[in-house]
Amino acid sequence: MNQADPDMIEREASVTLDLHGRRFDQVAAALFPEFSRSRLQDWIGSGALTLDGRSCRAKDKVSVDQILRLSAMLEAAVRWSGESGHLQILHEDEHVIVVNKAAGVVVHPGAGHAQGTLVNALIGYAPELERLPRGGIVHRLDKDTTGVMVVARSDLAHQSLIKQLAARTVQRVYTAVCQGALSGGGTIDAPIGRHPTVRTRMAVNSGGKPAVTHYRIAERFAAHTCLSVSLETGRTHQIRVHMASHNMPLLGDPVYGGRPRPPRGASPELQAALRGFPRQALHARTLAFDHPESDEPCQFETTLPDDMAELLDVLRAHDATPA
């Protein structure tokens, strides 16, 4: 194997006659026995492990001579141990913990982040999470995305929340600031998969997994728009990728955003605010789901973090117009 990046795993294998007709995950385990089945299933789910260049489900049947390709970041072996850490808890009971995640916080341990993650702090607070898959994490926010997350605290909750997410009944609404003055809202329905050449990025990809993003204008400015964004699906970097694919990348996004675009005649204060915003302007504002035990509807909301609130104040001061 020729592997230029030591943090990347690259594998390729073809389906043999004896594996014809079996499940994708079973075939992957047979062809790549050096990896655990749970890790292979994670890679199938993320699109890092593909079949003939397409993302497929773990249960899909494979045919002889099809090609399995694996291109994934190698995560260091880490112990998901508990640590003392600051948590902003919005709600907790015996089944769930709802938190407001701060910017700069990685959700779970991995390569380069063995400690100091949200999972480490959660296990330190609630040690029972250590026995649950991924420390009870059922959905993620990017390191520099802020906002509300729900964490499973029991087996019942873990199974229920996974099912609700798969059924697309969990409601997630975000506030985002994008570059460009949009004329109206809309829906982006475009599959997302691994970028064909930059494997640490995602991209709109015909071979990717279905992804649907709805957005509407919350507030319009001279060269930027504040959006209310809701998700039907939960693909990696979904909002960031979808908005960038339509030439309206999120302000401050270091991966998909490009350089800031100050409007003509921008004040020094606005130019400084745009150039100095340190992360993608994205906040998970609302999360709604059915409680795993009672089936009662639950909804949690968070206020904008200070940096986004201050950014919007500067934009309004420069040239705000009603949506």
Side-chain angles (χ1 to χ4, degrees), residues 3 19 31 39-40 45 71 83 87 102 105 163 184 217 233 275 287 291 293 316 321:
Q3 187 169 309
L19 297 174
L31 295 177
R39 174 168 280 192
L40 290 168
S71 181
E83 301 172 4
L87 291 172
V105 176
K163 289 179 181 177
I217 295 176
T233 54
R275 294 195 174 106
L287 180 69
H291 192 276
E293 183 182 41
R316 291 186 189 108
T321 58

Side-chain angles (χ1 to χ4, degrees), residues 3-76:
Q3 187 169 309
D5 186 343
D7 292 327
M8 289 294 294
I9 304 168
E10 302 284 352
R11 298 283 195 280
E12 183 174 305
S14 60
V15 179
T16 53
L17 183 60
D18 61 307
L19 297 174
H20 176 80
R22 295 180 64 181
R23 288 170 52 112
F24 185 18
D25 57 347
Q26 294 172 340
V27 173
L31 295 177
F32 304 129
E34 64 268 41
F35 304 116
S36 69
R37 181 162 294 187
S38 61
R39 174 168 280 192
L40 290 168
Q41 288 175 334
D42 285 344
W43 285 332
I44 290 171
S46 69
L49 178 54
T50 60
L51 187 64
D52 284 345
R54 296 179 295 105
S55 295
C56 295
R57 298 171 299 177
K59 66 180 182 180
D60 288 346
K61 298 301 192 329
V62 305
S63 301
V64 65
D65 292 334
Q66 285 190 293
I67 303 297
L68 277 69
R69 291 188 179 88
L70 172 63
S71 181
M73 292 296 294
L74 178 63
E75 292 188 0

Side-chain angles (χ1 to χ4, degrees), residues 171-230:
Q171 297 177 16
R172 290 165 288 179
V173 181
Y174 294 72
T175 295
V177 180
C178 74
Q179 302 196 59
L182 277 62
S183 59
T187 295
I188 302 174
D189 185 350
I192 290 177
R194 291 284 169 185
H195 191 283
T197 57
V198 185
R199 304 304 293 176
T200 56
R201 297 177 58 176
M202 308 301 288
V204 169
N205 184 332
S206 60
K209 291 191 171 186
V212 181
T213 302
H214 306 283
Y215 63 94
R216 64 177 180 83
I217 295 176
E219 198 167 357
R220 188 185 297 116
F221 305 98
H224 299 83
T225 307
C226 180
L227 299 172
S228 179
V229 183
S230 60

Side-chain angles (χ1 to χ4, degrees), residues 238-256:
Q238 179 172 323
I239 295 174
R240 299 164 64 189
V241 170
H242 268 172
M243 302 311 288
S245 74
H246 280 56
N247 197 33
M248 44 190 182
L250 299 191
L251 177 66
D253 192 327
V255 178
Y256 306 102

Side-chain angles (χ1 to χ4, degrees), residues 114-194:
Q115 299 173 331
T117 70
L118 180 64
V119 165
N120 294 125
L122 283 164
I123 293 175
Y125 178 77
E128 65 270 22
L129 294 175
E130 191 169 11
R131 65 177 180 80
L132 291 171
R134 294 188 170 272
I137 299 296
V138 293
H139 69 117
R140 293 189 299 174
L141 295 176
D142 297 335
K143 174 184 176 184
D144 288 323
T145 297
T146 56
V148 62
M149 286 181 59
V150 61
V151 179
R153 198 173 190 172
S154 66
D155 291 325
L156 172 67
H158 189 267
Q159 294 173 21
S160 173
L161 292 169
I162 289 291
K163 289 179 181 177
Q164 291 183 55
L165 285 161
R168 302 184 183 182
T169 58
V170 176
Q171 297 177 16
R172 290 165 288 179
V173 181
Y174 294 72
T175 295
V177 180
C178 74
Q179 302 196 59
L182 277 62
S183 59
T187 295
I188 302 174
D189 185 350
I192 290 177
R194 291 284 169 185

